[in-house]
Amino acid sequence: PFARQVAQRAGTQHEEAIVRIGDLSILPDLARHLDEPFADASVLPTYHVARNAASHVTMVLSGDGGDELFGGYTRYVNERLLQKFSPLAAVLRPFNSALDRHALFGRRGQRLSWMAYHATLPFDHSYESAVGKFSREARRAVLADEQEPRAWLTPWMSRFANLSLEDRMMAVDLH
């Protein structure tokens, strides 16, 4: 309803399409178009929007890339918090497994444990963990010739070393 209101106010044409949850019939088509593993579920609605738009127009401008340009991912804020949290994290890290297991702490304990672990990692390790979807062990189980996971990351981090932490992350994400 909000998109409809914006379209009315702006005087633009508004198209709506209903996508049913669980309709995976597009997966073979997506695999063919993407041509490589892609671990972001946002491709599903994006594909539907593009397919719907193609029946009306030949070109569409999208908002893809806005998170990288304007700091829209929570990992940018999280990384700043982790950097501030790192002195305390070193003290808490020996208690991580207890925080994870103990029901008294619940989800807050798990979150604190996660922060304590990640805040003591070098920045490139923490960043790799933030953008990755699978653990190193899970990747090695399915990829026979996996390179060192940060091998792709190191040149980019070096290239943008003069930027602030958040700007560096956004630049690496964009590239």
Side-chain angles (χ1 to χ4, degrees), residues 74-90 114-128 130 157 164-166 168-169:
T74 55
R75 68 175 166 258
Y76 303 140
V77 175
N78 288 346
E79 194 60 44
R80 187 174 353 113
L81 291 173
L82 288 176
Q83 297 302 315
K84 290 181 180 180
F85 185 68
S86 62
L88 178 60
W114 181 90
M115 288 181 71
Y117 172 74
H118 283 275
T120 56
L121 292 176
F123 171 68
D124 60 338
H125 293 237
S126 177
Y127 177 83
E128 177 202 9
M157 286 295 174
S164 72
L165 190 65
E166 287 172 80
R168 187 176 345 155
M169 291 172 71

PDB file of all heavy atoms in Angstrom, residues 74-90 114-128 130 157 164-166 168-169:
ATOM      1  N   THR A  74      23.852  -3.863   7.916  1.00  0.00           N
ATOM      2  CA  THR A  74      24.080  -3.782   9.360  1.00  0.00           C
ATOM      3  C   THR A  74      25.513  -4.150   9.707  1.00  0.00           C
ATOM      4  O   THR A  74      26.014  -3.740  10.749  1.00  0.00           O
ATOM      5  CB  THR A  74      23.112  -4.703  10.127  1.00  0.00           C
ATOM      6  OG1 THR A  74      23.229  -6.026   9.616  1.00  0.00           O
ATOM      7  CG2 THR A  74      21.680  -4.223  10.021  1.00  0.00           C
ATOM      8  N   ARG A  75      26.195  -4.887   8.837  1.00  0.00           N
ATOM      9  CA  ARG A  75      27.577  -5.270   9.161  1.00  0.00           C
ATOM     10  C   ARG A  75      28.494  -4.051   9.291  1.00  0.00           C
ATOM     11  O   ARG A  75      29.497  -4.108   9.977  1.00  0.00           O
ATOM     12  CB  ARG A  75      28.119  -6.278   8.162  1.00  0.00           C
ATOM     13  CG  ARG A  75      28.336  -5.767   6.765  1.00  0.00           C
ATOM     14  CD  ARG A  75      29.006  -6.858   5.908  1.00  0.00           C
ATOM     15  NE  ARG A  75      28.951  -6.562   4.507  1.00  0.00           N
ATOM     16  CZ  ARG A  75      28.100  -7.113   3.655  1.00  0.00           C
ATOM     17  NH1 ARG A  75      27.213  -7.990   4.073  1.00  0.00           N
ATOM     18  NH2 ARG A  75      28.131  -6.795   2.385  1.00  0.00           N
ATOM     19  N   TYR A  76      28.161  -2.947   8.629  1.00  0.00           N
ATOM     20  CA  TYR A  76      28.984  -1.744   8.758  1.00  0.00           C
ATOM     21  C   TYR A  76      28.904  -1.192  10.179  1.00  0.00           C
ATOM     22  O   TYR A  76      29.914  -0.836  10.779  1.00  0.00           O
ATOM     23  CB  TYR A  76      28.558  -0.672   7.746  1.00  0.00           C
ATOM     24  CG  TYR A  76      28.600  -1.128   6.305  1.00  0.00           C
ATOM     25  CD1 TYR A  76      27.611  -0.765   5.423  1.00  0.00           C
ATOM     26  CD2 TYR A  76      29.631  -1.938   5.830  1.00  0.00           C
ATOM     27  CE1 TYR A  76      27.636  -1.161   4.094  1.00  0.00           C
ATOM     28  CE2 TYR A  76      29.671  -2.348   4.511  1.00  0.00           C
ATOM     29  CZ  TYR A  76      28.665  -1.966   3.648  1.00  0.00           C
ATOM     30  OH  TYR A  76      28.698  -2.371   2.347  1.00  0.00           O
ATOM     31  N   VAL A  77      27.712  -1.129  10.710  1.00  0.00           N
ATOM     32  CA  VAL A  77      27.523  -0.662  12.094  1.00  0.00           C
ATOM     33  C   VAL A  77      28.097  -1.696  13.056  1.00  0.00           C
ATOM     34  O   VAL A  77      28.775  -1.339  14.025  1.00  0.00           O
ATOM     35  CB  VAL A  77      26.028  -0.417  12.383  1.00  0.00           C
ATOM     36  CG1 VAL A  77      25.806  -0.046  13.841  1.00  0.00           C
ATOM     37  CG2 VAL A  77      25.489   0.657  11.464  1.00  0.00           C
ATOM     38  N   ASN A  78      27.824  -2.981  12.786  1.00  0.00           N
ATOM     39  CA  ASN A  78      28.324  -4.042  13.664  1.00  0.00           C
ATOM     40  C   ASN A  78      29.842  -4.004  13.770  1.00  0.00           C
ATOM     41  O   ASN A  78      30.401  -4.193  14.849  1.00  0.00           O
ATOM     42  CB  ASN A  78      27.886  -5.420  13.163  1.00  0.00           C
ATOM     43  CG  ASN A  78      26.418  -5.672  13.381  1.00  0.00           C
ATOM     44  OD1 ASN A  78      25.756  -4.953  14.119  1.00  0.00           O
ATOM     45  ND2 ASN A  78      25.892  -6.679  12.709  1.00  0.00           N
ATOM     46  N   GLU A  79      30.529  -3.774  12.657  1.00  0.00           N
ATOM     47  CA  GLU A  79      31.995  -3.766  12.681  1.00  0.00           C
ATOM     48  C   GLU A  79      32.518  -2.621  13.544  1.00  0.00           C
ATOM     49  O   GLU A  79      33.464  -2.780  14.293  1.00  0.00           O
ATOM     50  CB  GLU A  79      32.555  -3.666  11.266  1.00  0.00           C
ATOM     51  CG  GLU A  79      34.022  -3.976  11.173  1.00  0.00           C
ATOM     52  CD  GLU A  79      34.378  -5.387  11.632  1.00  0.00           C
ATOM     53  OE1 GLU A  79      33.676  -6.354  11.282  1.00  0.00           O
ATOM     54  OE2 GLU A  79      35.380  -5.528  12.365  1.00  0.00           O
ATOM     55  N   ARG A  80      31.862  -1.466  13.454  1.00  0.00           N
ATOM     56  CA  ARG A  80      32.266  -0.334  14.291  1.00  0.00           C
ATOM     57  C   ARG A  80      32.069  -0.679  15.765  1.00  0.00           C
ATOM     58  O   ARG A  80      32.929  -0.414  16.607  1.00  0.00           O
ATOM     59  CB  ARG A  80      31.468   0.915  13.923  1.00  0.00           C
ATOM     60  CG  ARG A  80      31.964   2.143  14.638  1.00  0.00           C
ATOM     61  CD  ARG A  80      31.318   3.459  14.226  1.00  0.00           C
ATOM     62  NE  ARG A  80      30.435   3.429  13.110  1.00  0.00           N
ATOM     63  CZ  ARG A  80      29.115   3.650  13.184  1.00  0.00           C
ATOM     64  NH1 ARG A  80      28.544   3.897  14.346  1.00  0.00           N
ATOM     65  NH2 ARG A  80      28.361   3.634  12.111  1.00  0.00           N
ATOM     66  N   LEU A  81      30.936  -1.314  16.078  1.00  0.00           N
ATOM     67  CA  LEU A  81      30.672  -1.728  17.460  1.00  0.00           C
ATOM     68  C   LEU A  81      31.682  -2.766  17.931  1.00  0.00           C
ATOM     69  O   LEU A  81      32.144  -2.721  19.072  1.00  0.00           O
ATOM     70  CB  LEU A  81      29.256  -2.287  17.591  1.00  0.00           C
ATOM     71  CG  LEU A  81      28.118  -1.292  17.437  1.00  0.00           C
ATOM     72  CD1 LEU A  81      26.773  -2.016  17.409  1.00  0.00           C
ATOM     73  CD2 LEU A  81      28.156  -0.252  18.532  1.00  0.00           C
ATOM     74  N   LEU A  82      32.020  -3.704  17.038  1.00  0.00           N
ATOM     75  CA  LEU A  82      32.998  -4.734  17.406  1.00  0.00           C
ATOM     76  C   LEU A  82      34.350  -4.113  17.736  1.00  0.00           C
ATOM     77  O   LEU A  82      35.030  -4.548  18.659  1.00  0.00           O
ATOM     78  CB  LEU A  82      33.155  -5.754  16.273  1.00  0.00           C
ATOM     79  CG  LEU A  82      31.987  -6.711  16.067  1.00  0.00           C
ATOM     80  CD1 LEU A  82      32.247  -7.591  14.846  1.00  0.00           C
ATOM     81  CD2 LEU A  82      31.759  -7.566  17.290  1.00  0.00           C
ATOM     82  N   GLN A  83      34.750  -3.105  16.976  1.00  0.00           N
ATOM     83  CA  GLN A  83      36.029  -2.455  17.238  1.00  0.00           C
ATOM     84  C   GLN A  83      36.030  -1.790  18.617  1.00  0.00           C
ATOM     85  O   GLN A  83      37.007  -1.845  19.341  1.00  0.00           O
ATOM     86  CB  GLN A  83      36.348  -1.422  16.144  1.00  0.00           C
ATOM     87  CG  GLN A  83      36.518  -2.016  14.765  1.00  0.00           C
ATOM     88  CD  GLN A  83      37.613  -3.057  14.703  1.00  0.00           C
ATOM     89  OE1 GLN A  83      38.694  -2.862  15.230  1.00  0.00           O
ATOM     90  NE2 GLN A  83      37.329  -4.176  14.057  1.00  0.00           N
ATOM     91  N   LYS A  84      34.913  -1.174  18.983  1.00  0.00           N
ATOM     92  CA  LYS A  84      34.810  -0.538  20.297  1.00  0.00           C
ATOM     93  C   LYS A  84      34.724  -1.574  21.412  1.00  0.00           C
ATOM     94  O   LYS A  84      35.141  -1.341  22.528  1.00  0.00           O
ATOM     95  CB  LYS A  84      33.586   0.383  20.347  1.00  0.00           C
ATOM     96  CG  LYS A  84      33.747   1.615  19.494  1.00  0.00           C
ATOM     97  CD  LYS A  84      32.542   2.506  19.580  1.00  0.00           C
ATOM     98  CE  LYS A  84      32.777   3.724  18.692  1.00  0.00           C
ATOM     99  NZ  LYS A  84      31.661   4.647  18.696  1.00  0.00           N
ATOM    100  N   PHE A  85      34.167  -2.740  21.087  1.00  0.00           N
ATOM    101  CA  PHE A  85      33.929  -3.808  22.040  1.00  0.00           C
ATOM    102  C   PHE A  85      35.174  -4.667  22.276  1.00  0.00           C
ATOM    103  O   PHE A  85      35.247  -5.397  23.254  1.00  0.00           O
ATOM    104  CB  PHE A  85      32.778  -4.675  21.492  1.00  0.00           C
ATOM    105  CG  PHE A  85      32.310  -5.775  22.402  1.00  0.00           C
ATOM    106  CD1 PHE A  85      31.665  -5.493  23.591  1.00  0.00           C
ATOM    107  CD2 PHE A  85      32.496  -7.097  22.045  1.00  0.00           C
ATOM    108  CE1 PHE A  85      31.205  -6.504  24.410  1.00  0.00           C
ATOM    109  CE2 PHE A  85      32.043  -8.124  22.858  1.00  0.00           C
ATOM    110  CZ  PHE A  85      31.402  -7.820  24.046  1.00  0.00           C
ATOM    111  N   SER A  86      36.170  -4.569  21.417  1.00  0.00           N
ATOM    112  CA  SER A  86      37.299  -5.514  21.449  1.00  0.00           C
ATOM    113  C   SER A  86      38.064  -5.569  22.770  1.00  0.00           C
ATOM    114  O   SER A  86      38.464  -6.661  23.171  1.00  0.00           O
ATOM    115  CB  SER A  86      38.249  -5.272  20.283  1.00  0.00           C
ATOM    116  OG  SER A  86      38.810  -4.014  20.346  1.00  0.00           O
ATOM    117  N   PRO A  87      38.287  -4.480  23.521  1.00  0.00           N
ATOM    118  CA  PRO A  87      38.991  -4.644  24.806  1.00  0.00           C
ATOM    119  C   PRO A  87      38.225  -5.542  25.784  1.00  0.00           C
ATOM    120  O   PRO A  87      38.811  -6.405  26.434  1.00  0.00           O
ATOM    121  CB  PRO A  87      39.103  -3.222  25.344  1.00  0.00           C
ATOM    122  CG  PRO A  87      39.002  -2.347  24.148  1.00  0.00           C
ATOM    123  CD  PRO A  87      38.072  -3.065  23.205  1.00  0.00           C
ATOM    124  N   LEU A  88      36.909  -5.368  25.860  1.00  0.00           N
ATOM    125  CA  LEU A  88      36.092  -6.196  26.734  1.00  0.00           C
ATOM    126  C   LEU A  88      35.988  -7.623  26.190  1.00  0.00           C
ATOM    127  O   LEU A  88      35.937  -8.586  26.949  1.00  0.00           O
ATOM    128  CB  LEU A  88      34.694  -5.592  26.872  1.00  0.00           C
ATOM    129  CG  LEU A  88      33.686  -6.362  27.708  1.00  0.00           C
ATOM    130  CD1 LEU A  88      34.194  -6.527  29.145  1.00  0.00           C
ATOM    131  CD2 LEU A  88      32.338  -5.664  27.690  1.00  0.00           C
ATOM    132  N   ALA A  89      36.000  -7.758  24.870  1.00  0.00           N
ATOM    133  CA  ALA A  89      35.857  -9.070  24.238  1.00  0.00           C
ATOM    134  C   ALA A  89      36.983 -10.010  24.638  1.00  0.00           C
ATOM    135  O   ALA A  89      36.769 -11.203  24.842  1.00  0.00           O
ATOM    136  CB  ALA A  89      35.809  -8.924  22.723  1.00  0.00           C
ATOM    137  N   ALA A  90      38.186  -9.478  24.730  1.00  0.00           N
ATOM    138  CA  ALA A  90      39.331 -10.314  25.111  1.00  0.00           C
ATOM    139  C   ALA A  90      39.128 -10.923  26.500  1.00  0.00           C
ATOM    140  O   ALA A  90      39.534 -12.055  26.750  1.00  0.00           O
ATOM    141  CB  ALA A  90      40.614  -9.491  25.064  1.00  0.00           C
ATOM    142  N   TRP A 114      29.053 -14.262  20.411  1.00  0.00           N
ATOM    143  CA  TRP A 114      29.420 -14.001  19.012  1.00  0.00           C
ATOM    144  C   TRP A 114      30.272 -12.732  18.916  1.00  0.00           C
ATOM    145  O   TRP A 114      31.304 -12.712  18.252  1.00  0.00           O
ATOM    146  CB  TRP A 114      28.145 -13.859  18.168  1.00  0.00           C
ATOM    147  CG  TRP A 114      28.414 -13.619  16.722  1.00  0.00           C
ATOM    148  CD1 TRP A 114      28.562 -14.551  15.749  1.00  0.00           C
ATOM    149  CD2 TRP A 114      28.594 -12.348  16.080  1.00  0.00           C
ATOM    150  NE1 TRP A 114      28.812 -13.945  14.545  1.00  0.00           N
ATOM    151  CE2 TRP A 114      28.837 -12.589  14.721  1.00  0.00           C
ATOM    152  CE3 TRP A 114      28.572 -11.025  16.529  1.00  0.00           C
ATOM    153  CZ2 TRP A 114      29.056 -11.577  13.793  1.00  0.00           C
ATOM    154  CZ3 TRP A 114      28.788 -10.011  15.612  1.00  0.00           C
ATOM    155  CH2 TRP A 114      29.023 -10.279  14.262  1.00  0.00           C
ATOM    156  N   MET A 115      29.841 -11.687  19.624  1.00  0.00           N
ATOM    157  CA  MET A 115      30.584 -10.425  19.584  1.00  0.00           C
ATOM    158  C   MET A 115      31.971 -10.590  20.206  1.00  0.00           C
ATOM    159  O   MET A 115      32.945 -10.066  19.683  1.00  0.00           O
ATOM    160  CB  MET A 115      29.804  -9.317  20.298  1.00  0.00           C
ATOM    161  CG  MET A 115      28.589  -8.859  19.518  1.00  0.00           C
ATOM    162  SD  MET A 115      27.691  -7.543  20.354  1.00  0.00           S
ATOM    163  CE  MET A 115      28.830  -6.177  20.174  1.00  0.00           C
ATOM    164  N   ALA A 116      32.036 -11.322  21.306  1.00  0.00           N
ATOM    165  CA  ALA A 116      33.328 -11.529  21.965  1.00  0.00           C
ATOM    166  C   ALA A 116      34.286 -12.270  21.044  1.00  0.00           C
ATOM    167  O   ALA A 116      35.476 -11.964  20.987  1.00  0.00           O
ATOM    168  CB  ALA A 116      33.143 -12.291  23.273  1.00  0.00           C
ATOM    169  N   TYR A 117      33.773 -13.235  20.308  1.00  0.00           N
ATOM    170  CA  TYR A 117      34.616 -13.984  19.376  1.00  0.00           C
ATOM    171  C   TYR A 117      35.070 -13.098  18.216  1.00  0.00           C
ATOM    172  O   TYR A 117      36.255 -13.001  17.911  1.00  0.00           O
ATOM    173  CB  TYR A 117      33.860 -15.210  18.842  1.00  0.00           C
ATOM    174  CG  TYR A 117      34.603 -15.906  17.734  1.00  0.00           C
ATOM    175  CD1 TYR A 117      35.722 -16.680  18.022  1.00  0.00           C
ATOM    176  CD2 TYR A 117      34.209 -15.768  16.422  1.00  0.00           C
ATOM    177  CE1 TYR A 117      36.425 -17.312  17.011  1.00  0.00           C
ATOM    178  CE2 TYR A 117      34.901 -16.398  15.403  1.00  0.00           C
ATOM    179  CZ  TYR A 117      36.013 -17.167  15.697  1.00  0.00           C
ATOM    180  OH  TYR A 117      36.714 -17.775  14.693  1.00  0.00           O
ATOM    181  N   HIS A 118      34.129 -12.425  17.562  1.00  0.00           N
ATOM    182  CA  HIS A 118      34.446 -11.640  16.365  1.00  0.00           C
ATOM    183  C   HIS A 118      35.253 -10.379  16.670  1.00  0.00           C
ATOM    184  O   HIS A 118      36.049  -9.948  15.838  1.00  0.00           O
ATOM    185  CB  HIS A 118      33.175 -11.291  15.603  1.00  0.00           C
ATOM    186  CG  HIS A 118      32.657 -12.454  14.833  1.00  0.00           C
ATOM    187  ND1 HIS A 118      33.093 -12.774  13.587  1.00  0.00           N
ATOM    188  CD2 HIS A 118      31.768 -13.414  15.167  1.00  0.00           C
ATOM    189  CE1 HIS A 118      32.497 -13.864  13.170  1.00  0.00           C
ATOM    190  NE2 HIS A 118      31.692 -14.282  14.114  1.00  0.00           N
ATOM    191  N   ALA A 119      35.070  -9.804  17.834  1.00  0.00           N
ATOM    192  CA  ALA A 119      35.789  -8.578  18.171  1.00  0.00           C
ATOM    193  C   ALA A 119      37.274  -8.824  18.364  1.00  0.00           C
ATOM    194  O   ALA A 119      38.070  -7.897  18.283  1.00  0.00           O
ATOM    195  CB  ALA A 119      35.187  -7.940  19.419  1.00  0.00           C
ATOM    196  N   THR A 120      37.662 -10.064  18.638  1.00  0.00           N
ATOM    197  CA  THR A 120      39.082 -10.348  18.836  1.00  0.00           C
ATOM    198  C   THR A 120      39.749 -10.851  17.556  1.00  0.00           C
ATOM    199  O   THR A 120      40.947 -11.088  17.551  1.00  0.00           O
ATOM    200  CB  THR A 120      39.270 -11.389  19.961  1.00  0.00           C
ATOM    201  OG1 THR A 120      38.527 -12.562  19.642  1.00  0.00           O
ATOM    202  CG2 THR A 120      38.815 -10.824  21.297  1.00  0.00           C
ATOM    203  N   LEU A 121      38.981 -10.997  16.482  1.00  0.00           N
ATOM    204  CA  LEU A 121      39.562 -11.431  15.205  1.00  0.00           C
ATOM    205  C   LEU A 121      40.216 -10.247  14.497  1.00  0.00           C
ATOM    206  O   LEU A 121      39.773  -9.110  14.651  1.00  0.00           O
ATOM    207  CB  LEU A 121      38.461 -11.979  14.286  1.00  0.00           C
ATOM    208  CG  LEU A 121      37.778 -13.274  14.682  1.00  0.00           C
ATOM    209  CD1 LEU A 121      36.652 -13.578  13.698  1.00  0.00           C
ATOM    210  CD2 LEU A 121      38.768 -14.420  14.728  1.00  0.00           C
ATOM    211  N   PRO A 122      41.238 -10.510  13.686  1.00  0.00           N
ATOM    212  CA  PRO A 122      41.735  -9.436  12.810  1.00  0.00           C
ATOM    213  C   PRO A 122      40.607  -8.982  11.889  1.00  0.00           C
ATOM    214  O   PRO A 122      39.709  -9.759  11.562  1.00  0.00           O
ATOM    215  CB  PRO A 122      42.851 -10.115  12.003  1.00  0.00           C
ATOM    216  CG  PRO A 122      43.204 -11.341  12.778  1.00  0.00           C
ATOM    217  CD  PRO A 122      41.980 -11.750  13.527  1.00  0.00           C
ATOM    218  N   PHE A 123      40.661  -7.744  11.453  1.00  0.00           N
ATOM    219  CA  PHE A 123      39.559  -7.174  10.680  1.00  0.00           C
ATOM    220  C   PHE A 123      39.198  -8.010   9.453  1.00  0.00           C
ATOM    221  O   PHE A 123      38.022  -8.258   9.193  1.00  0.00           O
ATOM    222  CB  PHE A 123      39.882  -5.739  10.253  1.00  0.00           C
ATOM    223  CG  PHE A 123      38.882  -5.182   9.292  1.00  0.00           C
ATOM    224  CD1 PHE A 123      37.584  -4.928   9.708  1.00  0.00           C
ATOM    225  CD2 PHE A 123      39.216  -4.946   7.978  1.00  0.00           C
ATOM    226  CE1 PHE A 123      36.639  -4.434   8.815  1.00  0.00           C
ATOM    227  CE2 PHE A 123      38.285  -4.452   7.090  1.00  0.00           C
ATOM    228  CZ  PHE A 123      36.997  -4.188   7.512  1.00  0.00           C
ATOM    229  N   ASP A 124      40.179  -8.479   8.672  1.00  0.00           N
ATOM    230  CA  ASP A 124      39.839  -9.218   7.461  1.00  0.00           C
ATOM    231  C   ASP A 124      39.136 -10.540   7.782  1.00  0.00           C
ATOM    232  O   ASP A 124      38.239 -10.977   7.064  1.00  0.00           O
ATOM    233  CB  ASP A 124      41.041  -9.431   6.543  1.00  0.00           C
ATOM    234  CG  ASP A 124      42.166 -10.205   7.184  1.00  0.00           C
ATOM    235  OD1 ASP A 124      42.252 -10.238   8.423  1.00  0.00           O
ATOM    236  OD2 ASP A 124      42.977 -10.782   6.435  1.00  0.00           O
ATOM    237  N   HIS A 125      39.479 -11.174   8.894  1.00  0.00           N
ATOM    238  CA  HIS A 125      38.797 -12.409   9.315  1.00  0.00           C
ATOM    239  C   HIS A 125      37.348 -12.105   9.697  1.00  0.00           C
ATOM    240  O   HIS A 125      36.427 -12.837   9.327  1.00  0.00           O
ATOM    241  CB  HIS A 125      39.492 -13.044  10.514  1.00  0.00           C
ATOM    242  CG  HIS A 125      40.852 -13.570  10.226  1.00  0.00           C
ATOM    243  ND1 HIS A 125      41.193 -14.878  10.453  1.00  0.00           N
ATOM    244  CD2 HIS A 125      41.964 -12.974   9.728  1.00  0.00           C
ATOM    245  CE1 HIS A 125      42.460 -15.065  10.124  1.00  0.00           C
ATOM    246  NE2 HIS A 125      42.944 -13.919   9.683  1.00  0.00           N
ATOM    247  N   SER A 126      37.167 -11.032  10.462  1.00  0.00           N
ATOM    248  CA  SER A 126      35.834 -10.641  10.904  1.00  0.00           C
ATOM    249  C   SER A 126      34.965 -10.279   9.703  1.00  0.00           C
ATOM    250  O   SER A 126      33.804 -10.674   9.609  1.00  0.00           O
ATOM    251  CB  SER A 126      35.942  -9.460  11.862  1.00  0.00           C
ATOM    252  OG  SER A 126      34.682  -9.026  12.257  1.00  0.00           O
ATOM    253  N   TYR A 127      35.542  -9.544   8.757  1.00  0.00           N
ATOM    254  CA  TYR A 127      34.808  -9.138   7.552  1.00  0.00           C
ATOM    255  C   TYR A 127      34.415 -10.360   6.725  1.00  0.00           C
ATOM    256  O   TYR A 127      33.283 -10.471   6.270  1.00  0.00           O
ATOM    257  CB  TYR A 127      35.659  -8.187   6.721  1.00  0.00           C
ATOM    258  CG  TYR A 127      34.990  -7.782   5.429  1.00  0.00           C
ATOM    259  CD1 TYR A 127      34.068  -6.747   5.403  1.00  0.00           C
ATOM    260  CD2 TYR A 127      35.264  -8.447   4.247  1.00  0.00           C
ATOM    261  CE1 TYR A 127      33.444  -6.385   4.233  1.00  0.00           C
ATOM    262  CE2 TYR A 127      34.642  -8.092   3.071  1.00  0.00           C
ATOM    263  CZ  TYR A 127      33.739  -7.062   3.069  1.00  0.00           C
ATOM    264  OH  TYR A 127      33.116  -6.714   1.904  1.00  0.00           O
ATOM    265  N   GLU A 128      35.347 -11.283   6.549  1.00  0.00           N
ATOM    266  CA  GLU A 128      35.057 -12.502   5.783  1.00  0.00           C
ATOM    267  C   GLU A 128      33.889 -13.253   6.418  1.00  0.00           C
ATOM    268  O   GLU A 128      32.993 -13.736   5.727  1.00  0.00           O
ATOM    269  CB  GLU A 128      36.278 -13.409   5.715  1.00  0.00           C
ATOM    270  CG  GLU A 128      35.992 -14.703   4.995  1.00  0.00           C
ATOM    271  CD  GLU A 128      36.954 -15.809   5.338  1.00  0.00           C
ATOM    272  OE1 GLU A 128      37.770 -15.666   6.259  1.00  0.00           O
ATOM    273  OE2 GLU A 128      36.868 -16.855   4.675  1.00  0.00           O
ATOM    274  N   ALA A 130      31.525 -11.942   8.214  1.00  0.00           N
ATOM    275  CA  ALA A 130      30.304 -11.148   8.065  1.00  0.00           C
ATOM    276  C   ALA A 130      29.685 -11.301   6.683  1.00  0.00           C
ATOM    277  O   ALA A 130      28.468 -11.293   6.542  1.00  0.00           O
ATOM    278  CB  ALA A 130      30.594  -9.673   8.341  1.00  0.00           C
ATOM    279  N   MET A 157      41.538  -5.109   0.522  1.00  0.00           N
ATOM    280  CA  MET A 157      41.738  -4.430   1.798  1.00  0.00           C
ATOM    281  C   MET A 157      42.974  -3.534   1.735  1.00  0.00           C
ATOM    282  O   MET A 157      42.974  -2.428   2.260  1.00  0.00           O
ATOM    283  CB  MET A 157      41.876  -5.442   2.943  1.00  0.00           C
ATOM    284  CG  MET A 157      40.582  -6.097   3.326  1.00  0.00           C
ATOM    285  SD  MET A 157      39.449  -4.873   4.008  1.00  0.00           S
ATOM    286  CE  MET A 157      37.994  -5.873   4.194  1.00  0.00           C
ATOM    287  N   SER A 164      38.506   4.906   6.095  1.00  0.00           N
ATOM    288  CA  SER A 164      37.979   4.502   7.392  1.00  0.00           C
ATOM    289  C   SER A 164      37.461   3.075   7.288  1.00  0.00           C
ATOM    290  O   SER A 164      37.223   2.565   6.193  1.00  0.00           O
ATOM    291  CB  SER A 164      36.846   5.436   7.828  1.00  0.00           C
ATOM    292  OG  SER A 164      35.689   5.189   7.032  1.00  0.00           O
ATOM    293  N   LEU A 165      37.240   2.450   8.421  1.00  0.00           N
ATOM    294  CA  LEU A 165      36.796   1.065   8.453  1.00  0.00           C
ATOM    295  C   LEU A 165      35.507   0.862   7.642  1.00  0.00           C
ATOM    296  O   LEU A 165      35.438  -0.020   6.792  1.00  0.00           O
ATOM    297  CB  LEU A 165      36.571   0.656   9.910  1.00  0.00           C
ATOM    298  CG  LEU A 165      36.330  -0.805  10.189  1.00  0.00           C
ATOM    299  CD1 LEU A 165      37.564  -1.618   9.837  1.00  0.00           C
ATOM    300  CD2 LEU A 165      35.985  -0.997  11.650  1.00  0.00           C
ATOM    301  N   GLU A 166      34.508   1.681   7.891  1.00  0.00           N
ATOM    302  CA  GLU A 166      33.239   1.528   7.179  1.00  0.00           C
ATOM    303  C   GLU A 166      33.395   1.831   5.688  1.00  0.00           C
ATOM    304  O   GLU A 166      32.841   1.119   4.850  1.00  0.00           O
ATOM    305  CB  GLU A 166      32.173   2.426   7.793  1.00  0.00           C
ATOM    306  CG  GLU A 166      31.696   1.913   9.137  1.00  0.00           C
ATOM    307  CD  GLU A 166      30.791   2.907   9.826  1.00  0.00           C
ATOM    308  OE1 GLU A 166      29.611   2.946   9.451  1.00  0.00           O
ATOM    309  OE2 GLU A 166      31.268   3.613  10.723  1.00  0.00           O
ATOM    310  N   ARG A 168      36.052   1.471   3.923  1.00  0.00           N
ATOM    311  CA  ARG A 168      36.810   0.352   3.350  1.00  0.00           C
ATOM    312  C   ARG A 168      35.880  -0.829   3.064  1.00  0.00           C
ATOM    313  O   ARG A 168      35.936  -1.441   1.999  1.00  0.00           O
ATOM    314  CB  ARG A 168      37.933  -0.070   4.295  1.00  0.00           C
ATOM    315  CG  ARG A 168      38.859  -1.090   3.695  1.00  0.00           C
ATOM    316  CD  ARG A 168      40.028  -1.435   4.585  1.00  0.00           C
ATOM    317  NE  ARG A 168      40.250  -0.511   5.673  1.00  0.00           N
ATOM    318  CZ  ARG A 168      40.855  -0.827   6.816  1.00  0.00           C
ATOM    319  NH1 ARG A 168      41.299  -2.047   7.001  1.00  0.00           N
ATOM    320  NH2 ARG A 168      41.026   0.043   7.753  1.00  0.00           N
ATOM    321  N   MET A 169      35.013  -1.137   4.016  1.00  0.00           N
ATOM    322  CA  MET A 169      34.068  -2.238   3.813  1.00  0.00           C
ATOM    323  C   MET A 169      33.148  -1.946   2.631  1.00  0.00           C
ATOM    324  O   MET A 169      32.896  -2.816   1.792  1.00  0.00           O
ATOM    325  CB  MET A 169      33.238  -2.460   5.078  1.00  0.00           C
ATOM    326  CG  MET A 169      34.051  -3.015   6.238  1.00  0.00           C
ATOM    327  SD  MET A 169      33.104  -3.040   7.769  1.00  0.00           S
ATOM    328  CE  MET A 169      31.935  -4.336   7.444  1.00  0.00           C
TER     329      MET A 169
END
